[in-house]
Amino acid sequence: MTTPAGLAEIKTYADGIGPWKRFIISTKGSIGADGKAVDMNGDGKVNDADATSTQATSLVADAHKAGLFVHPFTFRNESRRLAADYKGDAKNEYLAYYRVGVDGVFTDFT
Ligand SMILES: [Ca+2]
């Protein structure tokens, strides 16, 4: 559904898409020798704060080329839900996605 052909199919019945935000900008953590995700920030928990953002995919641009709006989900103002490079500030995550060109977002923290 996220390929140009899939997006063209969606355009036959919808005006936009609401993908999981990781389809646009994902996160990447580290796996230790034990095969488990590494607690990079040493807080005793493994979550999004132990990962960093990846380069954006072409999904937003591809969707716009197909004439679709893009409103990814779900944005949260919780440090455990924010990749380390957002430095615990949800505004940095919003900015990253708006710079990629999203038209709106679904959030739990308006
Ligand atoms: Ca951690």
Side-chain angles (χ1 to χ4, degrees), residues 38-47 49-50:
V38 177
D39 177 15
M40 296 298 287
N41 63 9
D43 68 354
K45 300 170 187 162
V46 176
N47 51 39
D50 297 302

Side-chain angles (χ1 to χ4, degrees), residues 49-66:
D50 297 302
T52 55
S53 296
T54 61
Q55 195 79 5
T57 67
S58 64
L59 180 56
V60 175
D62 292 346
H64 285 166
K65 283 179 196 163

